[in-house]
């Protein structure tokens, strides 16, 4: 089915959507994005995604293109027009096109931002069989820039990381810097010891996951202990359980790291419980 996408205040068939070849998103990766999940036709954690979008834009001296309410209206309209039941809405805002290539930022008063949104349908994505088998990860060096807290569209290295994982017969990669895991290529990383969940603390080294914030809140409410600190691959391999979180994977068990089984090599009980709580609570709060 051909999608209706949103480009600069217009809803158009995807084949008719146009962005300039001089767009700074295309030439310089000068843009930010968000991915908001849709379950049962409703948006998951929309407020969190908008808050992070606003922060990413501010860190790059860019303004919000429209109010949170207007963004919500466009998200909802896209979900409705494309009849999305389960899936996601992708949003990207770039510094626009000044009509030429130039390292210097254009004057925002003269050059409008480019705002693009589109949907991706994935019916039944919360029931993926992957959650019952878990995923296998490899570790790779984290050679990304040092503002990973800004959700920019510079995704070449994460993309290369997924290809390295694929070449190794695995599903994804965990990034390691100074001997410590930062995060996954497109998700936050966690290990479990007993009733304790361990995940790296927030800072410039990782993306401040919206799913992470919700999952840690639910974990604390369920009397689990949360320790926000870095961990090594060796500690992860020796942990009882491991998992990742993201808007598209929710809570996903990790059963193997660099060829070593985590725990029994099967998804752990705490991870399964957290996934269930997260999905239940998120569906209830969806808008
Ligand atoms: N990725 N860390 C990185 C590097 C990410 O790219 C993402 C999200 C996350 C998890 O953030 P959240 O829980 O807010 O989705 C952590 C999205 C899903 C993507 O690029 O498709």
């Amino acid at each position: 089915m051909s999608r209706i996408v949103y480009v600069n205040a217009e809803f158009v068939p995807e084949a008719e959507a146009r962005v300039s070849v001089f767009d700074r998103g295309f030439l310089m990766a000068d843009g930010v994005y968000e991915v908001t999940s849709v379950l049962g036709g409703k948006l998951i954690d929309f407020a969190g995604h908008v808050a992070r979008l606003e922060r990413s834009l501010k860190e790059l001296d860019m303004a919000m293109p429209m109010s949170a309410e207007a963004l919500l209206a466009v998200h909802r309209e896209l979900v409705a027009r494309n009849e999305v039941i389960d899936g996601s809405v992708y949003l990207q805002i770039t510094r626009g096109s000044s009509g030429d290539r130039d390292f210097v930022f254009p004057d925002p008063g003269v050059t409008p931002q480019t705002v693009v949104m589109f949907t991706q349908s994935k019916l039944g994505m919360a029931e993926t069989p992957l959650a019952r088998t878990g995923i296998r990860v490899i570790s790779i060096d984290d050679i990304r820039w040092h503002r990973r807290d800004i959700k920019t569209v510079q995704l070449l290295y994460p993309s290369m990381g997924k290809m390295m994982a694929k070449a190794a017969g695995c599903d994804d990669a965990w990034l390691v810097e100074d001997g410590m895991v930062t995060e996954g290529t497109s998700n936050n990383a966690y290990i479990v010891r007993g009733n304790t969940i361990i995940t790296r603390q927030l800072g410039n080294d990782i993306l401040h996951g919206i799913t992470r914030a919700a999952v840690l809140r639910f974990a604390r409410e369920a009397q689990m202990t949360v320790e926000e600190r870095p961990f090594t691959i060796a500690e992860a391999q020796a942990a009882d359980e491991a998992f990742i979180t993201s808007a598209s994977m929710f809570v996903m068990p990790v059963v193997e790291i660099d060829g070593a089984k985590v725990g029994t090599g099967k998804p752990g009980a705490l991870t399964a419980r957290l996934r269930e709580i997260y999905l239940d609570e998120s569906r209830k709060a969806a808008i």
Side-chain angles (χ1 to χ4, degrees):
M1 189 182 89
S2 163
R3 282 171 286 197
I4 298 292
V5 304
Y6 175 94
V7 185
N8 299 326
E10 282 190 280
F11 290 91
V12 292
E14 60 182 41
E16 288 167 31
R18 296 277 178 274
V19 173
S20 167
V21 295
F22 301 115
D23 194 275
R24 292 181 61 88
F26 179 58
L27 296 180
M28 315 239 167
D30 187 357
V32 301
Y33 75 107
E34 280 296 331
V35 178
T36 304
S37 280
V38 178
L39 287 179
K42 290 186 172 175
L43 298 159
I44 303 295
D45 232 327
F46 182 77
H49 287 285
V50 171
R52 183 173 62 192
L53 173 70
E54 199 161 1
R55 181 179 181 278
S56 293
L57 288 167
K58 192 159 160 269
E59 293 298 314
L60 297 176
D61 274 329
M62 287 164 79
M64 276 281 273
M66 61 183 94
S67 67
E69 295 72 40
L71 276 174
L72 175 60
V74 177
H75 275 66
R76 282 180 162 160
E77 174 122 21
L78 279 177
V79 168
R81 287 202 190 202
N82 293 291
E83 297 173 13
V84 180
I85 297 167
D86 303 327
S88 57
V89 180
Y90 176 87
L91 152 72
Q92 177 168 330
I93 300 169
T94 79
R95 212 180 300 271
S97 158
S98 64
D100 204 352
R101 180 175 182 268
D102 190 346
F103 280 82
V104 175
F105 291 175
D107 177 350
V110 177
T111 300
Q113 295 170 334
T114 300
V115 182
V116 168
M117 290 182 237
F118 59 80
T119 55
Q120 292 184 287
S121 274
K122 218 170 163 193
L123 194 61
M125 72 170 171
E127 288 79 45
T128 172
L130 210 54
R132 286 194 294 276
T133 54
I135 63 163
R136 296 155 63 222
V137 303
I138 58 165
S139 65
I140 60 173
D141 276 349
D142 194 342
I143 59 164
R144 298 173 301 165
W145 79 327
H146 287 282
R147 289 306 308 274
R148 302 156 192 161
D149 55 311
I150 309 173
K151 200 164 171 58
T152 74
V153 296
Q154 328 171 25
L155 296 177
L156 181 55
Y157 190 63
S159 213
M160 289 168 72
K162 298 242 192 220
M163 295 310 291
M164 290 181 228
K166 210 174 151 184
C170 289
D171 305 290
D172 208 343
W174 278 11
L175 306 169
V176 176
E177 185 173 56
D178 300 329
M180 298 292 176
V181 174
T182 51
E183 59 186 333
T185 57
S186 62
N187 41 67
N188 291 115
Y190 308 73
I191 57 172
V192 177
R193 273 166 59 176
N195 191 43
T196 303
I197 297 166
I198 301 155
T199 193
R200 195 182 180 98
Q201 71 282 3
L202 297 181
N204 292 353
D205 326 312
I206 62 167
L207 186 74
H208 302 186
I210 301 308
T211 319
R212 176 189 185 279
V215 162
L216 295 188
R217 191 173 72 245
F218 297 142
R220 288 183 172 113
E221 283 170 12
Q223 313 306 323
M224 297 168 188
T225 309
V226 176
E227 245 178 67
E228 294 182 69
R229 62 160 175 88
F231 57 85
T232 62
I233 287 292
E235 188 180 2
Q237 289 171 324
D240 297 327
E241 301 179 26
F243 64 92
I244 55 165
T245 66
S246 76
S248 43
M249 301 286 261
F250 310 120
V251 177
M252 180 60 66
V254 171
V255 295
E256 195 183 297
I257 303 170
D258 284 340
K261 280 193 170 80
V262 179
T264 60
K266 299 252 158 48
L270 184 145
T271 303
R273 188 162 159 236
L274 254 189
R275 181 178 170 91
E276 202 180 303
I277 298 174
Y278 175 78
L279 284 170
D280 283 354
E281 295 299 323
S282 301
R283 280 184 197 275
K284 271 191 239 163
I287 58 169

